[in-house]
Amino acid sequence: MSSNKKPSKRKRPDDLKGTIARIWRYLSIQKGWLFLVIVMVVFSSGFSLLGPYLTSVAIDNYLVPAELEGLPLILGLLVAVYVLQSAATFFQNFWMIGIAQKTVYRMRKDLFHHLHRLPIPFFDKKTHGELMSRLTNDIENVSRTLNSSVIQIFSSVLTLVGTVGLMLWLSPLLTLITFTIIPLMFLGMKWITNRTGHYFKEQQRNLGEMNSVIEETLSGQQIIKSFSQEKRVLTQLNEKNEALRTSGFWAMTYSGFIPKLMNVLNNVSFLLIAVAGGLLSLKGLVSIGVIVAFIQYSRLFTRPLNDLANQFNTILSAVAGAERVFNILDEKEERPDEGDAVSLQQVKGKVAFRNVSFGYEKGGATLTNLSFEAKAGESVAIIGPTGAGKTTIVNLLMRFYELNGGTIEVDDHDVTKVKRESLRQNMGFVLQDTFLFNGTVRENIRYGRLDATDEDVEEAARVANAHTFISRLSEGYDTVLNQDGGGISYGQRQLLSIARAVLADPAILILDEATSSIDTRTEIQIQKALWSLMEGRTSFIIAHRLNTIQRADQIIALDQGKIIEKGTHEQLLEQKGYLWGQVGT
Ligand code: ADP
């Protein structure tokens, strides 16, 4: 199942135009600022073109004829042009960064907002790694590209067109001679990028492989140690590390050639202009000033060509990233509540499944024609082998998935006619895998009911038999826990999760009994806490312990998505069916 869940590494967008149009919709919210940025880019590019021209005027009109009175003016003008160019560059960058950050801020906001409205089946299909990568890497990629590339493309095109125009205007002949360098440049760049492309891809792949080994190593330390696999993992890491070193070395080496090559070609064009310009000026065809301007323009001209080539891939990969973000935004949200959906008032807790059929996959039959009823306040133990469909029943009760057939009723209301929020508010969970948030013990318990006072939290902890162990923690209720529940035991995490449910005070409880063994004393504490929590509530227990099964008001035995037995403990033992076989009498 996990083979089709690999994070996608696609670099090119499927729908370039459509995606760019959508990015534009985000950008266009700040049209005014964008306009200012463009004006600044026009200014900064214009000023950078004006500089060499003014230099040529200074040389030809003032220096060569030795007319020194006018010189300070033109030099002052040159200084002003360069200062203005710097100012325009500063503002274009400053404003563009603001626009980019606001844009990705909105994208992130939309994405977070949307994620909360997506149905559970969506999360079944995606790995956490993939979603994380979209929320972080892809958006970061868009942000980086917007920060610099938009301006760079714009100013590169302007500078390129401007330089070529000015060069042609100053001397068409010298322009043609300078241009002979272009084919050389393209050939050289192609030779390098062919090689760097290969090694960069290799490097990316090796990096990905090494990261996944590192991730496994970190999260699987216990398993690795307990199976004494340290050596094997180390060898694996060393191999990946070595591969990464080799590909990284060649990628860096070849890409290091690019500035060197540009430098060499710039010097060649300098030589060409100097020699050809010198010869032409002897014949009186060009002036010294024009030659000096040309030397500067030829530099201005090769840089944007290089930049444009570099930006192309960055932009494509950012657009592909944006497309992946938009794909999530396009995922269908959980079907909204029906217009006439009601809120449940003072739920008593009667629950009925009537001929319920359901499959995770289209056409699949995970549950077939399931019917049972739980009276308000009753405890129902659900038993059966792994994969029988116990968890699925619970998922359906919470309306995480839509039924294929039949109805589920709470207090005689069809749940599809009840507002989801109202339904879920009236249900509480105590699951095997207690989910703890980064935060204090108090915050973790308060998650059950956010407006609970500190006294309420403590009271709930007492009911859940958790108060004693919490008091013994170094910081008591203010002890900070992390997601792995660092510092507290598995059993203690269960007690916290029970306290959370006590605080939430739901009419219907869903309990997933721990399968792993807990020391007897904690086990007794948990059992006691659970039974006091279940007092007066309808509860469904995915039960593994005989004790729990014996005490339940009703037992439902499932196999392959069908109810095979239903009744009280005594009734089922009399039938000598599944339960009887399990008890092993
Ligand atoms: P139990 O809780 O009794 O062990 P489940 O209700 O978890 O069983 O699973 C019942 C069946 O549904 C199993 O065959 C399982 O493989 C399948 N299943 C469970 N969850 C999913 C899911 N998210 N997507 C697809 N199939 C699932």
Side-chain angles (χ1 to χ4, degrees), residues 217-421:
T217 313
L218 293 182
S219 55
Q221 262 307 314
Q222 280 186 345
I223 306 278
I224 292 171
K225 286 208 165 71
S226 57
F227 284 92
S228 301
Q229 293 289 312
E230 289 97 334
K231 255 203 198 124
R232 196 185 59 86
V233 173
L234 202 61
T235 318
Q236 228 179 356
L237 265 173
N238 281 340
E239 275 169 17
K240 302 289 173 213
N241 201 1
E242 173 64 28
L244 187 60
R245 186 188 68 84
T246 316
S247 50
F249 175 79
W250 289 112
M252 285 298 134
T253 306
Y254 279 113
S255 66
F257 285 162
I258 295 179
K260 304 275 179 307
L261 176 80
M262 294 312 287
N263 216 2
V264 169
L265 290 176
N266 267 329
N267 289 336
V268 172
S269 79
F270 176 82
L271 192 75
L272 265 178
I273 294 169
V275 172
L279 289 175
L280 287 175
S281 88
L282 283 180
K283 291 192 177 159
L285 288 173
V286 294
S287 62
I288 304 287
V290 167
I291 297 173
V292 173
F294 254 75
I295 288 171
Q296 295 183 47
Y297 281 134
S298 76
R299 276 172 203 251
L300 271 185
F301 158 82
T302 45
R303 213 190 46 211
L305 266 188
N306 197 8
D307 284 347
L308 279 177
N310 281 344
Q311 290 300 323
F312 191 63
N313 281 329
T314 320
I315 288 179
L316 273 189
S317 106
V319 173
E323 191 173 46
R324 285 194 287 267
V325 171
F326 293 144
N327 281 344
I328 294 191
L329 286 176
D330 290 342
E331 286 282 342
K332 264 218 322 244
E333 297 186 352
E334 206 167 35
R335 202 190 309 163
D337 291 324
E338 307 279 336
D340 54 355
V342 293
S343 286
L344 295 174
Q345 307 291 340
Q346 295 183 336
V347 175
K348 296 199 184 56
K350 182 177 165 198
V351 175
F353 273 53
R354 304 200 191 283
N355 306 100
V356 169
S357 294
F358 169 76
Y360 285 101
E361 314 288 339
K362 269 212 171 74
T366 308
L367 297 179
T368 353
N369 206 17
L370 228 62
S371 295
F372 62 85
E373 215 177 284
K375 296 193 196 72
E378 238 183 14
S379 54
V380 180
I382 306 174
I383 61 172
T386 315
K390 303 183 290 289
T391 314
T392 309
I393 291 189
V394 167
N395 285 340
L396 294 182
L397 197 55
M398 299 290 284
R399 257 194 100 190
F400 285 155
Y401 301 88
E402 303 292 331
L403 303 184
N404 291 354
T407 50
I408 298 175
E409 292 168 10
V410 170
D411 280 6
D412 299 316
H413 290 282
D414 181 341
V415 291
T416 57
K417 304 257 163 31
V418 174
K419 292 201 171 105
R420 278 192 182 80
E421 200 183 336

Side-chain angles (χ1 to χ4, degrees), residues 84-198:
L84 284 175
Q85 189 208 338
S86 303
T89 310
F90 172 79
F91 282 108
Q92 85 189 17
N93 290 335
F94 184 65
W95 288 333
M96 190 63 217
I97 289 170
I99 295 172
Q101 291 308 318
K102 263 202 199 123
T103 304
V104 291
Y105 165 80
R106 281 211 180 88
M107 278 188 184
R108 268 197 294 264
K109 201 163 140 186
D110 286 354
L111 200 56
F112 291 152
H113 202 73
H114 192 68
L115 274 178
H116 283 295
R117 293 156 177 250
L118 289 175
I120 296 288
F122 166 81
F123 295 95
D124 288 347
K125 279 183 264 146
K126 299 266 187 296
T127 59
H128 287 177
E130 185 173 355
L131 289 176
M132 280 297 290
S133 152
R134 297 200 188 179
L135 283 163
T136 53
N137 293 354
D138 282 343
I139 293 220
E140 184 50 35
N141 209 350
V142 174
S143 153
R144 231 178 309 132
T145 308
L146 284 181
N147 275 342
S148 60
S149 302
V150 174
I151 289 181
Q152 208 155 43
I153 289 190
F154 226 41
S155 83
S156 293
V157 171
L158 281 179
T159 315
L160 203 62
V161 172
T163 325
V164 174
L166 277 168
M167 283 165 93
L168 281 171
W169 179 62
L170 286 173
S171 163
L173 191 58
L174 206 49
T175 310
L176 277 182
I177 294 171
T178 315
F179 279 4
T180 51
I181 205 82
I182 296 179
L184 262 179
M185 202 171 100
F186 271 113
L187 283 178
M189 288 294 284
K190 203 169 159 52
W191 187 82
I192 295 177
T193 47
N194 277 349
R195 275 150 192 81
T196 47
H198 169 74

